[in-house]
Amino acid sequence: MEGDGKDIILLAHGDGGALTHELINTLFLRYFGGNILKNLSDAAAFSVSEGKLAVTTDSFVVDPLFFPGGDVGKLAVCGTVNDLAVSGAQPGYLTASFILEEGLPLIDLERIVRSMAAACNMAGVEIIAGDTKVVEKGHLDKIFINTAGVGFIPQGVDLGYHRLKPGDKVLINGSLGQHGIAVLSKRYGFDFAEQVMSDCAPLNGIINLLLKEVRGIKMMRDLTRGGLATAAKEIALACGLDIWLDESCMPIDARVKGVAEMLGLDPLYLANEGKFISIVSLQEAGKAVAVMQEHALGREASIIGEVKAGEGNVYLSTSLGGAKFLDLLAGSPLPRIC
């Protein structure tokens, strides 16, 4: 019954007592209850084989919590899985920590946890540890989630800036800017005739396929905050080479392009949660595109640019024959996007 305190988060849910245990047993273990988490010990223990581990962590504060194509829970799982995957690792385990605002409806929390469980199942990963804290109403906006991930790098996988050289091709797996426009539309109540859905998805499946079939993959990067332009600039700065992107080859959904133009946003800087670029040797770039197009998350894969000798700059070859300088994202046109 609304108002009796049983349908909302209370401060006592975070005090380590009876309500905390009830939350763990009736919600978190119900959806995340793998064999390791069920031990409920202070630390999760798991076996590893010889080789390299990859570890990453991220925090998710998206506003609104629920948006077309996803929610903060799905985002938290996919974001961490994708950070591992583009590093060449096979994601295995996640941790999840929840900071909750007093008064958060339990039905919303359950919806988020259920979504996280579904995303874990899709990605083939397991949540093995977690934590819950509750703060007073007004001291937080509903819920923040921190996730950490552990992945295993197979023998022979060596991705990084050190492998890039002039002539390498830049590939992308699909259309840009969907996540940014989906969140923006929901946040500000834009009612477009055709709803843009977030591309939020775990990328480890398509990336595993790519690494298995194409030996010329040199590095990858998922395109979250700052979008394609910022990721390309970071790569160019790190390797000291220039990257030239071709505007005529850039896959951008017509609905995204239309909304972005209306709002004065550049799709090259919009956030994505299911897109990545890969830099591939000239000889194997065509094969890499074909492999990605075999996967559901790579149907629109294409070559969008090239690495050239230079000093760490990024340029966009425009359809009018000019060249536009692309820098890091400046300011925050769309805060709390992930």
Side-chain angles (χ1 to χ4, degrees):
M1 180 184 299
E2 187 174 359
D4 63 1
K6 294 182 179 179
D7 56 354
I8 61 172
I9 287 293
L10 305 173
L11 286 174
H13 280 112
D15 67 4
L19 279 182
T20 302
H21 282 260
E22 181 180 302
L23 193 65
I24 291 171
N25 287 295
T26 62
L27 182 63
F28 294 121
L29 286 183
R30 178 182 172 192
Y31 290 102
F32 299 157
N35 290 330
I36 298 176
L37 185 64
K38 282 180 178 175
N39 289 328
L40 295 181
S41 52
D42 284 337
F46 55 89
S47 300
V48 297
S49 56
E50 293 184 0
K52 289 184 178 179
L53 294 179
V55 178
T56 188
T57 185
D58 207 344
S59 298
F60 298 86
V61 298
V62 67
D63 173 38
L65 298 180
F66 305 99
F67 48 83
D71 56 74
V72 66
K74 182 179 181 182
L75 202 58
V77 172
C78 293
T80 299
V81 164
N82 293 346
D83 283 345
L84 292 170
V86 295
S87 302
Q90 296 178 352
Y93 300 116
L94 303 184
T95 70
S97 294
F98 299 82
I99 312 296
L100 308 175
E101 181 187 23
E102 178 188 17
L104 175 72
L106 276 166
I107 193 172
D108 285 350
L109 179 59
E110 179 171 1
R111 182 178 171 188
I112 291 165
V113 170
R114 186 168 60 243
S115 177
M116 292 179 73
C120 284
N121 185 56
M122 190 183 309
V125 299
E126 180 180 350
I127 292 178
I128 59 172
D131 184 46
T132 304
K133 294 292 190 298
V134 181
V135 299
E136 297 89 341
K137 190 172 182 60
H139 288 225
L140 179 77
D141 189 6
K142 303 178 188 69
I143 178 172
F144 293 165
I145 302 175
N146 174 270
T147 48
V150 178
F152 309 92
I153 300 178
Q155 292 285 345
V157 173
D158 176 28
L159 304 180
Y161 305 116
H162 63 285
R163 295 194 59 198
L164 305 190
K165 65 179 185 180
D168 291 339
K169 296 296 184 181
V170 182
L171 281 58
I172 194 167
N173 67 313
S175 183
L176 293 167
Q178 292 166 267
H179 179 72
I181 293 298
V183 172
L184 182 65
S185 300
K186 182 67 175 179
R187 183 184 300 172
Y188 297 114
F190 297 145
D191 185 19
F192 300 115
E194 290 187 80
Q195 182 68 64
V196 176
M197 307 290 284
S198 169
D199 59 343
C200 183
L203 291 167
N204 53 322
I206 186 174
I207 287 176
N208 285 344
L209 181 65
L210 199 56
L211 290 173
K212 178 182 176 183
E213 299 292 336
V214 182
R215 299 183 62 83
I217 307 298
K218 298 192 172 185
M219 77 161 298
M220 293 180 282
R221 176 71 68 85
D222 59 337
L223 307 177
T224 55
R225 291 176 297 173
L228 169 64
T230 297
K233 180 64 177 179
E234 289 174 348
I235 293 170
L237 286 173
C239 67
L241 299 169
D242 286 353
I243 294 178
W244 282 78
L245 302 174
D246 188 339
E247 187 177 41
S248 65
C249 300
M250 210 62 66
I252 301 175
D253 183 280
R255 295 167 299 175
V256 170
K257 185 179 292 185
V259 177
E261 286 179 357
M262 183 179 68
L263 299 175
L265 299 172
D266 186 342
L268 298 185
Y269 287 92
L270 288 175
N272 311 267
E273 291 294 341
K275 298 298 181 307
F276 69 104
I277 56 171
S278 50
I279 299 183
V280 186
S281 67
L282 170 64
Q283 295 78 10
E284 297 213 46
K287 180 180 180 181
V289 170
V291 168
M292 284 197 286
Q293 288 176 343
E294 293 175 2
H295 194 279
L297 297 180
R299 299 282 186 248
E300 298 178 281
S302 61
I303 297 173
I304 59 169
E306 182 178 342
V307 177
K308 297 185 178 182
E311 299 177 340
N313 295 316
V314 178
Y315 300 95
L316 179 70
S317 298
T318 69
S319 53
L320 298 177
K324 178 182 178 182
F325 181 80
L326 299 178
D327 208 341
L328 300 171
L329 176 68
S332 186
L334 190 53
R336 293 186 61 184
I337 198 67
C338 61

